[in-house]
């Protein structure tokens, strides 16, 4: 049965997936390869987790890859006092069979939200905005904007209709996936629908929320969002391999990305799609080295005041068991961070404070397997082995 793309298109990430129609998976790929290069010596495990755990992890990852038809994956796990595990397996290109590499750049989808909200919260710390300010103070024309607060936008509780769920948006994007979309242009697709509930009444994952917060940051700073994130988030965090692209530029090396979110419903190579439609909600690019650093920084609030970080981590129920959501950040069974999904790529970047452990997963497909995101399947399999009392269970929520 062919799946209609508009049923789940482009949510660019998070929380427990809805069960969707069955789909064909991509063919199995080549045998695992570590893919470690001289540029990744900081990521190479000097002290592994031991042969038994390593073998179990290798086997579990291989099983998920085969089950879900994942071309290539990079997994990084760091557990202070116990050791680490870094592997690149499978292929970066299903045509050339080039192996997946540890130093790959990937599109990180909704992990972008952690960067956007961090920039927003820095403005809170500076006293330039208030979390309980209405969005109408900064952006005109938002349905019920005089009642929707910045806090509700960051916490996915605004009730604004997700523009990615609009059928015309889906058609327009898939008809010309390399075109540029402006922030206010994508918002118009969502604003023509009634709000789904009153401000603060419920949880609904919506990229409309984050696009609005990006506009707030630009309004208050007088600068482009990409520049603000670079100067106020990436530079202080020491993230030299993370960027906010202006178009479809993509640093090398990067794997090819594969999705079935296409007009035909067939799996296609979408590496060069323009992520501008996701903007503040999902357009960024990073690599394993930087995501490892970022996991701890965002979870512990290194760039924010303790008071503001405490507000960020005040998570509320999502309606999905085991997963709560704060201000641009999720918590699932003790793991704090975010995941990302954008056509062709998925990521998970999370930190477990109780063990000071970090998990990063990057893969080059977003094709779902039996209604679940492949990144969630991998994260669940890995954490079931290394942190059985804290099994990751967050995945993409509403993919319209």
């Amino acid at each position: 049965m062919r799946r209609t793309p508009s049923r789940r298109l482009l949510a660019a990430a998070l929380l427990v997936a809805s069960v969707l129609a069955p789909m064909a998976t991509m063919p199995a790929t080549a045998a695992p390869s570590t893919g470690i290069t001289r540029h990744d010596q900081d990521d190479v495990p000097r002290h592994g987790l031991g042969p038994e755990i390593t073998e179990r992890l290798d086997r579990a990852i291989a099983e998920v890859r085969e089950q879900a038809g994942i071309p290539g994956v990079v997994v990084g796990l760091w557990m202070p006092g116990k050791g680490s595990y870094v592997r690149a397996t499978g292929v970066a290109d299903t045509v050339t069979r080039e192996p997946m590499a540890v130093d790959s750049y990937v599109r990180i989808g909704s992990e972008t939200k952690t960067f956007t909200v961090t920039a927003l919260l820095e403005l809170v710390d500076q006293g330039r905005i208030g979390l309980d300010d209405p969005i109408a103070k900064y952006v005109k024309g938002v349905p019920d904007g005089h009642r929707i607060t910045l806090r509700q936008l960051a916490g996915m509780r605004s009730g604004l209709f997700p523009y990615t769920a609009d059928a015309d948006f889906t058609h327009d994007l898939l008809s010309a996936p390399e075109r540029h979309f402006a922030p206010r242009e994508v918002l118009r697709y969502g604003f023509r629908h009634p709000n789904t509930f009153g401000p603060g009444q419920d949880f609904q994952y919506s990229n409309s929320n984050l696009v609005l917060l990006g506009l707030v940051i630009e309004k208050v700073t007088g600068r482009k969002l990409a520049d603000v994130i670079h100067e106020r988030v990436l530079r202080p965090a020491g993230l030299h391999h993370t960027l906010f692209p202006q178009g479809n530029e993509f640093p090398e090396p990067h794997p090819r990305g594969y999705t079935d979110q296409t007009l035909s419903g067939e799996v296609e190579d979408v590496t060069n799609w323009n992520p501008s439609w996701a903007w503040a909600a999902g357009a960024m690019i990073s690599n394993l080295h930087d995501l490892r650093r970022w996991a701890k920084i965002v979870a512990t609030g290194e760039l924010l005041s303790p008071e503001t970080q405490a507000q960020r981590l005040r998570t509320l129920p999502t309606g999905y068991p085991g997963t709560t959501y704060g201000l641009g950040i999720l918590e699932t069974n003790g793991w704090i961070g975010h995941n990302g999904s954008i056509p062709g790529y998925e990521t998970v970047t999370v930190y477990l404070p109780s063990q000071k452990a970090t998990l990063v997963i990057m893969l080059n497909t977003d094709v779902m397997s039996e209604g679940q995101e492949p990144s969630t399947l991998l994260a669940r399999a890995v954490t079931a082995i290394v942190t059985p009392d804290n099994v990751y269970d967050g995945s993409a929520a509403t993919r319209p």
Side-chain angles (χ1 to χ4, degrees), residues 89-351:
T89 66
V91 298
D93 188 322
T94 59
V95 175
T96 67
R97 314 304 290 177
E98 176 186 355
M100 196 74 167
V102 167
D103 61 341
S104 298
Y105 287 87
V106 297
R107 302 195 188 280
I108 63 172
S110 270
E111 290 195 30
T112 301
K113 293 176 173 67
T114 61
F115 294 93
T116 299
V117 174
T118 297
L120 182 86
L121 294 178
E122 287 181 346
L123 295 176
V124 172
D125 276 340
Q126 295 165 13
R128 301 177 70 178
I129 63 171
L131 281 172
D132 295 314
D133 291 347
I135 184 60
K137 179 177 179 180
Y138 306 97
V139 181
K140 305 302 180 186
V142 180
D144 212 11
H146 64 290
R147 297 178 57 222
I148 296 172
T149 67
L150 305 187
R151 185 189 304 275
Q152 290 163 345
L153 292 168
M156 301 296 175
R157 294 179 176 273
S158 70
L160 290 172
F161 187 87
Y163 66 84
T164 55
D166 178 82
D168 289 338
F169 169 76
T170 300
H171 176 270
D172 292 349
L173 175 60
L174 296 186
S175 297
E178 296 185 15
R179 63 165 286 194
H180 177 81
F181 283 86
R184 292 181 185 271
E185 180 183 6
V186 297
L187 286 172
R188 284 195 291 271
Y189 289 99
F191 288 174
R192 61 189 185 182
H193 297 269
N195 290 4
T196 56
F197 51 81
Q201 292 181 2
D202 204 348
F203 173 91
Q204 181 186 31
Y205 199 73
S206 172
N207 283 342
S208 301
N209 297 329
L210 267 290
V211 172
L212 283 168
L213 292 181
L215 292 175
V216 170
I217 293 168
E218 291 194 334
K219 173 79 170 181
V220 173
T221 63
R223 309 202 58 194
K224 291 182 177 179
L225 176 64
D227 294 337
V228 174
I229 288 179
H230 176 76
E231 295 175 13
R232 302 194 180 191
V233 181
L234 303 182
R235 185 178 294 170
L239 305 183
H240 305 300
H241 305 284
T242 303
L243 67 148
F244 200 122
Q246 301 302 304
N248 66 351
E249 64 267 28
F250 207 160
E252 296 284 356
H254 62 257
R256 310 302 297 181
Y258 303 93
T259 190
D260 61 349
Q261 297 194 73
T262 57
L263 283 179
S264 68
E266 301 300 323
V267 174
E268 296 179 12
D269 182 332
V270 295
T271 308
N272 296 321
W273 280 20
N274 189 332
S276 61
W277 61 269
W279 197 52
M284 291 179 68
I285 293 169
S286 191
N287 72 357
L288 181 70
H289 178 274
D290 276 14
L291 292 179
R292 174 190 178 183
R293 288 181 55 84
W294 183 240
K296 181 181 178 183
I297 289 170
V298 72
T300 61
E302 290 183 21
L303 300 181
L304 303 173
S305 70
E307 296 78 15
T308 298
Q309 179 69 2
Q311 292 193 68
R312 176 176 218 165
L313 295 181
R314 193 174 300 150
T315 60
L316 296 172
T318 62
Y320 304 107
T323 302
T324 57
Y325 200 77
L327 302 182
I329 200 165
L330 68 85
E331 188 277 333
T332 176
N333 294 331
W335 291 94
I336 298 172
H338 219 289
N339 62 334
S341 181
I342 193 166
Y345 301 91
E346 286 196 350
T347 54
V348 173
T349 298
V350 286
Y351 182 78

Side-chain angles (χ1 to χ4, degrees), residues 1-73:
M1 175 179 175
R2 176 177 295 174
R3 185 177 54 229
T4 303
S6 62
R7 291 186 61 189
R8 56 177 272 263
L9 180 66
L10 317 166
L14 155 84
L15 308 170
V16 186
S18 350
V19 176
L20 301 174
M23 72 202 77
T25 57
M26 286 176 287
T29 53
S33 164
T34 59
I36 296 171
T37 75
R38 62 184 176 85
H39 301 292
D40 296 286
Q41 296 307 307
D42 289 342
D43 292 314
V44 176
R46 294 176 173 81
H47 304 288
L49 294 170
E52 180 184 354
I53 295 296
T54 297
E55 182 180 351
R56 289 177 64 193
L57 288 171
D58 286 346
R59 185 167 58 249
I61 291 167
E63 288 174 354
V64 173
R65 278 191 53 238
E66 181 177 3
Q67 168 197 341
I70 301 169
V73 60

